[in-house]
Amino acid sequence: MTAITAAGNAAELPPYPGARSGRCPFDPPAELIEGQQAPGLRRAQTSHGVPAWVATRFEDAKVVLSDTRFSADVRRFPQLTVSTQNAQGPQPFPRTDDPEHARIRRQFTGEFTVKRMEALRPSIRDLINTILDEMISREERPVDLVRHFALPVPSLAVSLLLGVPYEDHDFFQENSAVLTRRFATREEKTAASAALNDYMLQLAHRKQREPADDLVSRVLAAGELSPQEMAVNGKVLLLAGHETTANMIGLSVVALLNNPEQAARIRAVEDPKRAARAVDELLRYLTVPQDLIHRVATEDLELGGQHISAGDLVTVSLPTANRDARFDNAHVLDLERTQPSGGHLAFGYGIHQCLGQSLARIELQEALTILLRRLPDLRVAVPTDEIKFRHDMAAFGVHELPVTW
Ligand code: HEM
């Protein structure tokens, strides 16, 4: 096991996020959990090849995510993006700081309120049932749950929200899926990203000419964003929810089928509050965003007794922070758990905290209950140690999940 040292040369730095190698495939790497016992940030080499400071403690994570001396504008590290984004054009708002960040985010917050998302719940439920009908009707067994269920759910849910016409769903879903596919080449990813950019720009122009009852039309009608800004940020909405939600669905299925008692709880749950509690515990326990948080220090500073220089990259191990000792029996999945005050960090913290969290919660609550109820004999068709986990990816999860019933 490689010890994570407080400092070191890039060549000898331990890799981050590293493999989830604890007692079970869901536990953060043992080195990070061990490192969490001592104060300070760790030095590691991110999967993008950039050395970074890693915060593992809950309180340190909150500082990195809320202190204005950490900037989300990481353009100085081009390795962090696969993007056809023109560096001179509008920046996606998650990569900007206030006040620019607030100017753009404000245009979308009214679209993601709990009330508005709850109003969408019946349509999301119908959508999930339709996706499941299609999966069940496939002739092959086993079926890859990732491709035929987990990925289509967030992609089609967000296209419903944005107002993407139904006939464009296949294009939308296929190109978003390429961006998360393990064996897609950089060229394929760049082409898919460019196709989505063009598509979103055309959609924005179309919604400006012929507004309808959807997010893109309403945001453009408010007059604050140009079609170009809408296109860049519409793509952000599509992609931000895609990999994260899909991997939460895939991993939750593995975790629940490995714990039949907990799966039975999800099947039986009628009370929406208990369903919500169960999903929040899955979010905490599995915490898929593992190499998604990137900040750059804007000045020399000290955190946890550690000196950080201006220009250094800083990341937060959300999976490790969510196993902090502030959670009783932190390494146990307990669907009845009430999260301690202040909650968990699976959706981040501070001004960049997940904009789509109400939507994500509804998608997960509906997807997991519908799937487990409609397929009471659902099982993973390979042993757990043969499942292809996404250890080295920005979002942890499963590359594919052969299931049968
Ligand atoms: C289980 C699913 C999801 C997880 C675990 C998740 C997690 C996160 C996290 C950790 C952040 C903070 C990133 C940072 O601080 O740098 C974030 C931001 C964001 N998320 Fe999510 N997310 C999920 C689903 C969604 C969905 C469904 C949408 C929208 C359709 C969405 C849209 C966004 C946006 C736009 C931001 C950037 C907010 C900002 O910078 O102000 N997410 N998400």
Side-chain angles (χ1 to χ4, degrees):
M1 191 187 296
T2 329
I4 294 188
T5 51
N9 298 324
E12 63 194 38
L13 289 175
Y16 179 83
R20 297 204 181 191
S21 54
R23 296 162 303 124
C24 75
F26 312 116
D27 288 350
E31 296 94 328
L32 291 176
I33 293 287
E34 273 166 29
Q36 194 183 43
Q37 309 311 313
L41 275 59
R42 320 284 127 197
R43 201 84 174 117
Q45 178 94 346
T46 65
S47 55
H48 308 91
V50 186
W53 294 103
V54 183
T56 55
R57 293 180 154 204
F58 194 89
E59 291 306 323
D60 290 342
K62 278 173 48 179
V63 174
V64 174
L65 295 172
S66 60
D67 189 318
T68 53
R69 292 173 301 169
F70 295 101
S71 164
D73 182 351
V74 290
R75 268 176 289 175
R76 67 162 63 203
F77 300 108
Q79 305 92 317
L80 299 179
T81 45
V82 174
S83 172
T84 47
Q85 199 70 52
N86 175 357
Q88 309 310 317
Q91 284 303 304
F93 75 95
R95 291 272 164 107
T96 59
D97 300 317
D98 281 355
E100 176 61 3
H101 165 263
R103 178 181 81 84
I104 309 276
R105 181 167 166 135
R106 211 172 24 241
Q107 301 306 310
F108 297 105
T109 41
E111 296 292 330
F112 284 93
T113 57
V114 175
K115 196 169 162 206
R116 209 179 256 280
M117 292 303 107
E118 281 300 334
L120 266 188
R121 191 188 280 269
S123 317
I124 292 175
R125 192 176 290 151
D126 289 348
L127 191 80
I128 291 172
N129 273 308
T130 308
I131 295 169
L132 189 56
D133 287 341
E134 281 173 24
M135 185 182 98
I136 291 173
S137 70
R138 299 190 70 79
E139 283 180 3
E140 82 263 18
R141 294 287 182 280
V143 173
D144 179 11
L145 186 94
V146 172
R147 190 174 190 127
H148 297 293
F149 186 74
L151 280 170
V153 168
S155 162
L156 296 185
V158 86
S159 48
L160 188 82
L161 185 75
L162 295 178
V164 170
Y166 195 81
E167 58 273 21
D168 295 344
H169 280 184
D170 284 349
F171 164 87
F172 208 57
Q173 201 189 309
E174 186 47 36
N175 282 292
S176 336
V178 168
L179 295 176
T180 70
R181 212 166 274 157
R182 183 192 206 176
F183 296 114
T185 62
R186 199 170 169 90
E187 287 70 35
E188 285 167 336
K189 289 190 179 186
T190 305
S193 177
L196 286 170
N197 286 350
D198 290 348
Y199 181 87
M200 289 305 305
L201 190 58
Q202 280 172 26
L203 185 74
H205 283 302
R206 198 182 333 149
K207 298 286 178 185
Q208 206 171 35
R209 280 194 313 271
E210 303 155 24
D213 182 15
D214 56 53
L215 181 151
V216 176
S217 303
R218 280 189 295 269
V219 170
L220 283 169
E224 180 69 24
L225 298 192
S226 67
Q228 284 74 13
E229 285 174 314
M230 182 61 243
V232 165
N233 291 300
K235 188 177 155 211
V236 164
L237 297 180
L238 163 68
L239 296 181
H242 193 245
E243 224 176 324
T244 41
T245 314
N247 281 300
M248 264 305 294
I249 294 174
L251 268 192
S252 299
V253 168
V254 179
L256 291 169
L257 295 181
N258 275 352
N259 284 277
E261 253 175 54
Q262 306 274 7
R265 281 194 185 155
I266 293 265
R267 276 194 192 96
V269 79
E270 292 296 344
D271 170 11
K273 282 202 181 113
R274 283 182 76 191
R277 206 185 301 149
V279 160
D280 263 87
E281 171 65 352
L282 286 163
L283 282 159
R284 178 198 74 85
Y285 180 74
L286 299 169
T287 313
V288 301
Q290 57 182 10
D291 194 11
L292 275 178
I293 306 284
H294 302 118
R295 299 288 190 271
V296 57
T298 55
E299 55 186 80
D300 286 3
L301 57 99
E302 196 143 308
L303 178 56
Q306 193 73 58
H307 177 80
I308 295 172
S309 302
D312 281 357
L313 185 68
V314 183
T315 185
V316 172
S317 174
L318 296 177
T320 316
N322 272 342
R323 299 294 185 92
D324 193 280
R326 73 191 292 280
F327 300 96
D328 291 339
N329 293 322
H331 300 296
V332 173
L333 173 68
D334 172 8
L335 298 187
E336 298 292 335
R337 182 193 297 272
T338 304
Q339 303 294 326
S341 113
H344 58 70
L345 295 178
F347 289 121
Y349 181 78
I351 61 165
H352 292 282
Q353 196 186 44
C354 183
L355 178 66
Q357 57 187 285
S358 301
L359 175 61
R361 286 187 166 104
I362 291 174
E363 288 177 45
L364 293 170
Q365 289 161 16
E366 295 296 330
L368 295 173
T369 45
I370 291 172
L371 181 70
L372 293 178
R373 278 186 190 156
R374 286 190 55 191
L375 297 179
D377 295 326
L378 184 72
R379 56 192 184 280
V380 180
V382 295
T384 304
D385 58 6
E386 284 176 27
I387 296 175
K388 295 188 176 78
F389 287 101
R390 297 164 46 104
H391 287 294
D392 52 348
M393 309 293 282
F396 184 60
V398 281
H399 286 291
E400 55 188 42
L401 189 64
V403 293
T404 191
W405 54 90

